Amino acid sequence: GTGMVSRFILGSSSRKMIEKAKFPVLLVPAKFIFNGVKKIAFATDLSSGDIDVINSITGLAQPFNAEILIAHVTGETYDKQEYQHKVDAFLNEITGKINYPKIYYRHIKSMDVDHGLDWLTAHGQIDILAMVHRQHSIIDRVFEGSHTQKLARHIKLPLLAFPIGHQQII
């Protein structure tokens, strides 16, 4: 859309799709020019359920021989030892369950998740950002909103939103 009203309507349609979909939704910005897929970033909170999503992303990446960048955003302060243990367990599970050689990991420190995801889309040299849309309480939705929906409003590259509890379908 071009005007404020068009952006609001498009934005609310995108929000509803992300919120209600039982399958992955690919949102592509109106003026986006497709130049192939070399790298897909997946923003994760290191939940074990994200392993199935990564497995689905490999189905998308393989025909393009694309890299998959697993990205996790933390705040500026965190327990490094506890964090490293969680990352190691997550990556070991990926290695044991997914046979795809082009999977990499990156830790992004930022003031908050939204700023970290903005940095990733601007500087990560990625072609698609994938993430799981997690349901939030009504209070969280009113005051904070979902990270997926915030990104959908301004991202300049395709956003692949997976519903929580996604089963591999790609």
Side-chain angles (χ1 to χ4, degrees):
T2 54
M4 224 26 188
V5 173
S6 296
R7 276 189 294 226
F8 175 76
I9 292 168
L10 178 64
S12 62
S13 297
S14 298
R15 280 195 306 274
K16 285 179 187 173
M17 260 195 319
I18 291 168
E19 193 70 36
K20 305 281 185 199
K22 304 286 186 225
F23 48 83
V25 174
L26 180 63
L27 301 169
V28 180
K31 295 181 181 180
F32 180 76
I33 298 170
F34 180 74
N35 291 316
V37 179
K38 296 178 190 91
K39 189 187 297 183
I40 302 168
F42 175 61
T44 180
D45 65 359
L46 305 176
S47 299
S48 62
D50 286 356
I51 304 298
D52 287 336
V53 174
I54 296 167
N55 201 25
S56 286
I57 292 169
T58 62
L60 176 63
Q62 283 175 328
F64 296 100
N65 198 28
E67 296 176 352
I68 299 172
L69 172 65
I70 298 169
H72 182 246
V73 180
T74 63
E76 298 288 335
T77 58
Y78 60 96
D79 182 331
K80 290 182 179 152
Q81 188 173 7
E82 181 181 320
Y83 174 77
Q84 192 59 51
H85 176 71
K86 192 172 182 177
V87 169
D88 290 344
F90 186 77
L91 295 176
N92 283 336
E93 192 171 352
I94 288 171
T95 303
K97 293 183 176 179
I98 299 173
N99 183 20
Y100 190 69
K102 293 186 168 196
I103 297 177
Y104 306 94
Y105 173 80
R106 178 159 195 176
H107 173 221
I108 300 168
K109 277 196 299 187
S110 184
M111 66 170 60
D112 60 40
V113 172
D114 293 322
H115 282 92
L117 294 174
D118 285 342
W119 182 91
L120 177 63
T121 60
H123 303 285
Q125 299 176 338
I126 61 175
D127 303 298
I128 297 174
L129 175 64
M131 55 194 306
V132 174
H133 173 67
R134 306 209 189 275
Q135 299 293 330
H136 296 279
S137 71
I138 189 80
I139 292 171
D140 286 341
R141 276 185 267 166
V142 169
F143 290 107
E144 294 182 27
S146 106
H147 303 300
T148 311
Q149 290 173 339
K150 284 180 188 176
L151 268 173
R153 285 185 217 131
H154 69 271
I155 194 167
K156 300 210 181 336
L157 53 95
L159 175 64
L160 181 58
F162 287 85
I164 190 116
H166 166 75
Q167 300 297 314
Q168 185 177 359
I169 59 172
I170 293 178

